Amino acid sequence: QVQLVESGGGLVQAGGSLRLSCAASGFTFSSYAMAWFRQAPGKEREFVGAISWIGERTYYADSVKGRFIISRDNAKDMVYLQMNSLKPEDTAVYYCTARTIPRVMGGPSPDEYDKWGQGTQVTVSS
């Protein structure tokens, strides 16, 4: 079965950096666009960024553009989220997800994805 396992979350001070990792299994990882979402307490799940199945295209939410970088290593079935210049507003549970269909770029709607990880908590202190 499909599994996505996030790791790398933790507590960091504002202005710091953190790298999240997502290990994929149970599907042909290199055929699927991947994305990161986050959900803060009392808020809806929010799009962070997406990367094409090859990795040549990326797409970011305005709130993280210029600070976060999404990347992937198809030889390792891994996707990453490098988070820099972190703000308290970035505090959330971060989720890794895969597109519902192969060879299609991901967009900002969670309805476009049907494979989700368990999430990893990121807390940014002021």
Side-chain angles (χ1 to χ4, degrees):
Q1 73 282 356
V2 170
Q3 277 210 304
L4 298 170
V5 181
E6 299 94 336
S7 62
L11 177 64
V12 64
Q13 291 191 321
S17 297
L18 210 57
R19 189 181 77 158
L20 306 184
S21 299
C22 175
S25 61
F27 68 105
T28 306
F29 177 77
S30 61
S31 294
Y32 287 82
M34 301 292 293
W36 289 92
F37 283 75
R38 65 188 183 186
Q39 188 164 23
K43 302 189 73 176
E44 296 294 307
R45 191 160 296 190
E46 176 190 25
F47 174 75
V48 176
I51 186 167
S52 65
W53 64 101
I54 298 173
E56 86 283 11
R57 288 177 291 163
T58 55
Y59 168 49
Y60 299 96
D62 287 343
S63 59
V64 307
K65 200 171 298 180
R67 298 189 298 123
F68 290 10
I69 301 170
I70 187 169
S71 61
R72 68 190 298 160
D73 186 341
N74 285 351
K76 298 180 179 179
D77 289 1
M78 296 284 291
V79 61
Y80 307 96
L81 183 67
Q82 177 67 46
M83 305 183 293
N84 301 315
S85 301
L86 283 162
K87 305 173 181 179
E89 307 92 88
D90 296 319
T91 295
V93 177
Y94 282 71
Y95 297 91
C96 172
T97 185
R99 195 68 162 81
T100 54
I101 54 176
R103 295 173 286 104
V104 178
M105 180 59 180
S109 174
D111 294 336
E112 298 177 9
Y113 308 88
D114 67 350
K115 310 173 185 71
W116 296 86
Q118 84 289 348
T120 185
Q121 176 72 49
V122 172
T123 303
V124 184
S125 62
S126 58

